[in-house]
Amino acid sequence: MGIFRWVKVRKRPNKKLLRLGLQKHKQSAEILVNSKLKYWNQFYNFTYNRVCIRAQTTRWGSCSSKGNLNFNYKISLLPEHIADYIIVHELCHLKQFNHSADFWNLVAQTIPDYLERRSQLHNLSSSITADYNLR
């Protein structure tokens, strides 16, 4: 009598469906980010160049020295107040390209509870990444 091993066979993800899912989230993220940038920047009046929605694996957003703003497509999956924090955070890097006290004071001008929101973001990050790993 032989020994039977039960092997769990994993189906390969359908790449076409993954791309469609990614595109859907990128489109909703683009709409969200552009409308939120317009809203929040009325308080700061900063100048920025290009806005890109990317499939970043380790960042929610970034700001380049050229004034380009990049956001993770998964921002559209977050609660609105957390997305607002990320957008304001990156906007403030246009003025302060660091995390100095001056930078955090800029953030606090419009998001006074940024410490709480940042904490919530850290708590949500791992579950969003695991649940919506569409890449």
Side-chain angles (χ1 to χ4, degrees):
M1 201 169 220
I3 299 174
F4 292 97
R5 297 177 114 193
W6 292 97
V7 179
K8 187 174 183 179
V9 178
R10 232 186 337 171
K11 289 184 180 180
R12 285 191 171 152
N14 183 321
K15 289 183 181 182
K16 184 177 180 180
L17 288 177
L18 289 177
R19 279 194 303 274
L20 288 173
L22 177 61
Q23 277 306 112
K24 180 183 121 190
H25 288 297
K26 281 180 107 174
Q27 288 170 349
S28 63
E30 186 174 4
I31 292 166
L32 171 82
V33 167
N34 284 319
S35 67
K36 293 293 188 171
L37 278 172
K38 185 177 178 179
Y39 173 78
W40 289 111
N41 201 33
Q42 71 184 342
F43 301 104
Y44 294 106
N45 202 28
F46 294 150
T47 302
Y48 54 89
N49 292 317
R50 205 174 38 182
V51 177
C52 293
I53 305 300
R54 301 182 181 276
Q56 299 163 308
T57 56
T58 60
R59 295 178 185 257
W60 285 105
S62 62
C63 175
S64 77
S65 58
K66 294 179 181 180
N68 297 327
L69 299 173
N70 302 300
F71 296 93
N72 191 313
Y73 74 96
K74 295 176 187 175
I75 196 170
S76 63
L77 303 172
L78 294 171
E80 186 175 5
H81 70 288
I82 304 295
D84 286 338
Y85 161 72
I86 294 168
I87 291 165
V88 168
H89 182 112
E90 298 311 328
L91 262 177
C92 290
H93 277 310
L94 294 166
K95 178 79 171 174
Q96 291 288 325
F97 208 66
N98 54 46
H99 288 112
S100 65
D102 289 339
F103 168 80
W104 291 113
N105 288 336
L106 271 176
V107 173
Q109 286 177 15
T110 54
I111 310 283
D113 65 338
Y114 73 89
L115 286 172
E116 174 62 28
R117 294 184 195 202
R118 188 171 73 174
S119 175
Q120 290 173 6
L121 175 62
H122 288 296
N123 292 337
L124 284 170
S125 289
S126 58
S127 65
I128 293 286
T129 301
D131 293 346
Y132 295 95
N133 193 2
L134 301 175
R135 193 162 179 214

